[in-house]
Amino acid sequence: MPWMNPLARIRDAWRGQRARDKELRNLVSNLPYEGLDKHKQPNRHFPGNGIKTTKYSILFFLPMNLFEQFHRLANLYFVGLAILNFVPMVQAFEPEVALIPICVILALTALKDAWEDFGRYQSDKELNGLPCFVYSRKKKCYVEKRWKDVRVGDFVKVESNDTVPADLLLLFTSDPNGVCHIETANLDGETNLKQRRAVPGACVTDPEFEPESFTGVVICEKPNINLNHFKCYIEKVDKEKLGAGISNLLLRGCTVRNTGYAIGFVVYAGHETKSMLNNNGPRYKRSRLERRLNVDVIFCILLLVLMCIIGSLGHYLWLESMPGVPLYLVPHGDGHLDTPSLASFYMFFSMIILLQVLIPISLYVSIELVKIGQIFFITNDLDLYDEDTDSRVQCKALNITEDLGQIQFIFSDKTGTLTENKMVFRRCSIMGIEYPHKENAVRLSVLNKRDEDEDVLFSQTPSTKQPWSLDSEEPPEKKSERTSKSKAHSDVAFSSPLETEVIPDQKLLRQLGGTDRTDAYLDFFLALAICNTVVVSMATGKRRRSSVFLQRRQSTPLDTFSSLMKKLGSWTCLRIRSTPDTSPSAQELSGDLTGGQTRHLHVPPRGTTPAVPTDELCYEAESPDEAVLVHTAKAYGFVLLSRTPDSVTVRLPSGAQLRYEVLDTLTFDSTRKRMSVLVRHPISKQCILYTKGADYAIMELLETPHGGKLQTDIASDTQQHLDCYAKDGLRTLCITKKVLSDREYENWAVKRHQALTAMDDREQLIMDSAVTIETDLCLLGATGVEDRLQDNVPDTIMSLREAGIRVWVLTGDKTETAVNIGYACRLLEPDDLLINMSCQNKITCTSTLNCALEEVRRFADDPRNVDTTPDISLVIDGRTLTMVTSPDLRERFVDLAKRCRSVLCCRVTPLQKSHVVKFIREKLKVMTLAVGDGANDVNMIQAADIGVGVCGQEGMQAVMASDFAISRFKHLKKLLLVHGHWCYSRLANMVIYFFYKNAANVNLLFWFQFFCGFTANAMIDHWLMIFFNLIFTSVPPVMFGIMDKDVSAEMLLGLPELYRTGQGKGEYTFFTFWMSMLDAFYQSLVAFFVPYYTYRGSNIDIFSFGTPLNTISLFTILLHLSIEIKAWTFVHVIVIVGSVLLYFGVTLAYGFMYLNYSGFWTLQTQMADPMFYLVCLIATVIALLPRYLFHVLKNSIAPSPIVQARHLDTLEPSARDQWMKEWRSFRGGVQDKTPDESVPPSPSLESLNDDSIMDDEFTLNVITESRHRPGSL
Amino acid sequence: MASGYNAKEEDGHIGVVGLGGASLRGRKPENTAFKQQRLPAWQPILTAGSVLPAFFIIGLIFIPIGIGLYVTSNNIREFEIDYTGVEVSSPCYNCAQNFSWHSTTPCTCSIQFYLHQAYESNVFMYYGLSNFYQNHRRYVKSRDDSQLNGDISSLTKPSKECEPYANHDHKPIAPCGAIANSMFNDTLELFYIDPNGTRVPVALSSTGIAWWTDKHVKFRNPGGSTNLTAAFQGTVKPVNWRHPVYELDTDPENNGFINEDFIVWMRTAALPTFRKLYRVIQKKNNMAPTLPRGNYSLQVQYNFPVRSFEGRKRVILSTISWMGGKNPFLGIAYVTVGSVCFFLGVVLLFIHHKYGNRTNNADITN
């Protein structure tokens, strides 16, 4: 770069700053400027594509890291102490010695930071060095460059399966339609393909795109964090504006799929790309235990100050009491002695230095270590691993593991969290006629059966059934065809057989085959096939992920019996009455994986299956609702063959292929609750608008009934069916059609275009334009889609409730749907007192609330209900919720909510969800956990103490925002009941122990002050004192915090009630803290005064006296820990014995080697003296006797549930199960109805007459009025 | 203070890592006992039933030990005389009153006492000081260990720790520091008074009273033990001393820094009331007791002032056993703890009978 005068440089830098800060950016192509100096480049102000996420540079690591570390107050405190040591008046230790602890701590932290930073540096380097193709004017072709050399204004070519290096405005693709498919899995985890399109007409693209021909200016907004919005337009030379949005943007980190290549213009590079802006590290949250701990640290400080004041006062009195100047008072260098008051003032600070260990310096480091260990074990838990998605549980927040053990309220999303978010088509209503799809229901019931067998295996309730019992129980005469379903198959988005296979309803097939009213039926299915954003890809072109995954699965050795059991459980064969289409990959699997367990049968072609192999079609949908509807249409012969931005091709049952021109797609948003597709019919050339959406969103928009009674009848019949569907817990959608005249369309299209190119308020304008056209719709019918419950959801919810956790479900669904799901997942019980609050205005709301409260109170006060806890459930809708959380009703609602065992909030918006969480959290002062899977749960997840994200079908936003990410709802059970409990009890005990340990050790010094004139002297060598805390006694508590196990996982899962110990107060309370501090005082008294009385008046020297004290202290501290350790493994033994050996080894070596040490040969001499052992023995016994006795008496006379569970743990497994059963039946009275009733919702419309088809258990869930007690409102 | 400790902004790095096939690696956790937290473990439960034996065993072991200790302690003969001279009637009263570090004429006094029992074995003669805080922080540090180890450079240039007793008249003090400066310098002699009235001096051995390692490893004279006067050339004696360090004894093996009285003093006492070994009275033969019963006279050359801190000076004659000097505390403690444990064992037995069935049979519903 040539010389530039400094002023120009500054000016340039200032301009650059301004250019970056401007709301709109003007970007031009770099090509005309290629080869010019840097300061002549038009886009020089914008950052390059290289990224640097490291915090430090090598040169400045030390100062920067130290600066950062000194931001922590604790470190500052200890450095202050160390500096205090250099004040000669005050120094208690040799100053160098005092620096050691703080140096070690700082060095450890710096080492950790450096290691993390190095990892970041390496991954940066790897990313920056990745190759990509950038157009070069000189060479007239795309040359390979590294990612970091890409600049804003470059033209980048990305080939199929390559990763996009920067945010690119898509200008050209190899696809004739200008479409490019991308996978954003790296970015948000969504595995379905998304379509992006080239900006139409941006440049000459015939036949080949010429980057040099691009002369326009790209005007785009300032970089922002929003992944789903992008506003930009291209101003061509002739001032024509071309709007572009997120659908034209390829984000950095995406992968191009199914497209030959794509060429884009770099708009944002490096740190300005959306993916980098979204790249925040793990958030910092402070756990409740840590907050409590900080309070106790303050207590410790007060205690320290008190002890120092005592010391300083004592020193004053001691000096005052002296009649003269004794020999042992050493004057200062110049021969003068301080006055008693000044000396005691100095002594105060000396005491602080001497007793500083009372504030546990290593506690914070130890806690961090412990949490790393705990997270290691959580993430390595096999039970929390999901085979389907190959994902472990992820811990994103590193420091709130123990909060998992204290949860009192869980707020859960419904769709995708409790349910699979895998939609299954159940029934539909067309033109007011119901088609129940019975055969389909039967197929699904068989699939449900499989899930139940898994339940039995998983829930560890005693079971005589073996996982493969289905095979043996099957009557031989039933010549049913079997197929095996491997979960691996579902790796492809929304295409498990459950969703893809729909068995057509015979009546509907006949109806379609007939001539009567066929048009509406055709339209209905056409709407299903067209009105969506599903992308069609060929099965052969599917991503390699699934195939690679399968290979890996097959090669996995079945190493242990338990894993064998598990796998067999999940591969249980299925009974299917009539064979649905199975995709080829599933069939191959059945042969390979299940071996002798299944026969691999030929699948006979179905009558309705078209001759062309439609199985190869693979639908990539953004939401599972869409996928299932397309599959349903396919089952009826309406096959969606392809979709481009401009057209949709559908094959009709007759075999004819229709290519509809797509005029516009009005995408779904949560305000409108509907989506529409505007197409032109290929034959009639009519403009047709197909709209599908939530029933309440559609019903208002139906055309006014001027065309006769028919339309109104259809509407009311359909509404009735919709209500029935909702009662069954089905998700409903209404399908409508509208024919537009060409004039209407033209008028609307102009407005639409304006909206699309608008720079301000674009979203609002686009939505308004959609609303204007979605009117006067003609109802075709409705669909009922079942969102199946996830595995083990009822069991999990039952367990959580037994664990004393209140479960709230917040859903956007209708009340009826939500209530049914509530029953299905056992959130609500049939004999619950159900309060239903749904009010239109505040007055009724107030009275309803008062009535409900009255009812609840009366129920609680009723003497007959003294023993039985009233199971009160509340169902409330969003509108009422807003009213009851208003300031005047708030208190009453909290009172009611406190008494409710479970609450179901329906029709709530994402914002309301987070309000509810915050409201309860603040009003009731409870620990809350929010779990959800979708973007609409992000607010709630962030509002709760712990946010759990479910990696579901709806992308990763929830997971990104969460503290813990799980893949199934059922994992919550083990995560909370086992890991939460363990983490909490481990950490709580560790922290208490840590306080105790330091207090016990330091108090020895304090007692000694009474015998050395309060001169802040220590009877132990300073080095050994430092080592004592840093080396000899630091590892055992950390190991204790990571590995102790008070009760086995089986017991915790089997007896959820044990979880209650951690809730509310838990093990770490004011009481336990002060008890352990008292114990520390007692033990230190013993450890000091037993040797004191033994050696009093003898010729013992100071270090010989200190040696037994230190040894007693070590033994007491370690044996105290041994009393607290609940489960001894070889690791525990090694660590404890190792600590003792280390103590003796180091002390002996030190006494031997360090000649200048006044305590030379001390321990050696002491160890040759039998008195040493006798003193140590008795002092240790006396010191530990009370605690030991306390534990023994407590465990014998009033054992806590944990201790009782530990007793059970020692029993034989069969006896143990028996006891567990009795325990649960006594406490909760719930166990007897656990496994067999927990079935997902079943159809109720025909449940009375369909017994012949269905198993008996399915009728149990029939919704009857008896569930709604008279008390419900 | 602690609130800010963990508040760090970790800058995580999720981003676009795991490109290509990296995400296809199986993330299934290993099924090992350690990772699944299923290591074989011993899970003791502390209940009355399970700990009963421990209490009885402790009781049964401790009580005999305690009795043994108590008996041993009781068999130790010990005799103590306070010669501070606080009371006017005390023979040393005058010496105590007229004290000066630099008086040329030593004040002597002698105290008569009667031993009621004969001391059969070796007798250890201690001097005891009370209220002397040898464990004062600044006092303890006021020494230069490398000087005492014979380091020449430290001899001429004592460490700063010795201040203000490092230099005197611009010459280094050897041995430097407050500990050395305040060394106990009374001379004690013991005479047995025959039944016929003659004073027989009791032979006091002044070697073998310090730790072997101190005498042979830790403390060394500069330039060996040959010519001490030359070795200490250029140094001055501590201010309070009457003789320089190389005139502490005539025996070259017990002179200078390796003088055992000096070494004993330099091992600072743990508590303000302490005794230090002064001399050993060796048992001469098996026929006669070391110290027969009868009248004795203790002749004190009274040099060490204790009035400034209200201290007391004592002389202790004691036989010694494997457990050191006479101290009944440990024996009593063992017996007490043993009895308490035994008693607790009985109580626990009772509790075990009352509640034991419940816990053992896990009647947890209660």
Side-chain angles (χ1 to χ4, degrees), chain A residues 309-546:
Chain A
I309 288 175
I310 292 175
S312 133
L313 219 65
H315 190 63
Y316 177 79
L317 294 176
W318 180 71
L319 285 176
E320 281 289 295
S321 68
M322 256 177 271
V325 179
L327 289 165
Y328 48 79
L329 272 195
V330 185
H332 289 290
D334 55 3
H336 85 275
L337 276 168
D338 290 326
T339 59
S341 44
L342 187 65
S344 60
F345 175 73
Y346 288 147
M347 198 50 66
F348 178 80
F349 294 101
S350 303
M351 285 283 177
I352 288 188
I353 295 171
L354 183 78
L355 306 176
Q356 60 177 331
V357 188
L358 191 62
I359 286 130
I361 182 169
S362 43
L363 178 59
Y364 293 96
V365 177
S366 305
I367 287 178
E368 277 187 27
L369 287 176
V370 164
K371 283 182 177 171
I372 289 171
Q374 291 182 341
I375 284 171
F376 170 81
F377 280 125
I378 293 178
T379 50
N380 269 297
D381 193 330
L382 212 51
D383 291 338
L384 300 183
Y385 167 79
D386 187 46
E387 298 258 357
D388 292 2
T389 50
D390 187 32
S391 58
R392 302 177 178 193
V393 56
Q394 298 171 51
C395 303
K396 304 197 159 231
L398 301 178
N399 35 21
I400 53 169
T401 46
E402 70 275 14
D403 273 354
L404 286 175
Q406 295 185 284
I407 298 299
Q408 288 158 294
F409 275 73
I410 288 183
F411 297 89
S412 172
D413 173 43
K414 187 180 75 69
T415 310
T417 306
L418 297 179
T419 60
E420 296 260 16
N421 203 8
K422 284 182 181 170
M423 302 300 159
V424 181
F425 183 79
R426 288 303 293 263
R427 40 183 63 201
C428 67
S429 156
I430 306 173
M431 301 306 284
I433 297 169
E434 221 288 283
Y435 298 97
H437 290 73
K438 284 179 206 162
E439 294 86 347
N440 205 31
V442 172
R443 179 181 68 91
L444 295 169
S445 74
V446 176
L447 287 167
N448 291 338
K449 183 102 177 124
R450 180 188 63 88
D451 285 349
E452 258 170 62
D453 285 339
E454 275 191 350
D455 286 4
V456 171
L457 190 68
F458 183 80
S459 62
Q460 284 154 355
T461 40
S463 157
T464 51
K465 268 192 186 177
Q466 292 301 305
W468 48 78
S469 62
L470 220 99
D471 247 3
S472 51
E473 279 177 8
E474 195 178 8
E477 66 268 20
K478 265 194 181 173
K479 279 293 265 181
S480 64
E481 287 151 357
R482 292 185 278 182
T483 179
S484 132
K485 170 176 169 285
S486 163
K487 287 195 166 194
H489 184 65
S490 63
D491 197 47
V492 178
F494 320 130
S495 54
S496 77
L498 208 63
E499 294 145 41
T500 55
E501 297 152 14
V502 176
I503 304 172
D505 191 89
Q506 293 304 320
K507 194 170 105 193
L508 185 52
L509 272 181
R510 278 197 300 277
Q511 189 77 259
L512 271 175
T515 49
D516 189 25
R517 288 197 300 194
T518 311
D519 277 356
Y521 284 78
L522 275 177
D523 270 330
F524 178 79
F525 285 108
L526 274 174
L528 291 190
I530 292 173
C531 184
N532 50 51
T533 54
V534 171
V535 178
V536 186
S537 61
M538 288 294 153
T540 46
K542 257 189 293 186
R543 278 150 292 158
R544 30 194 187 149
R545 176 183 299 239
S546 53

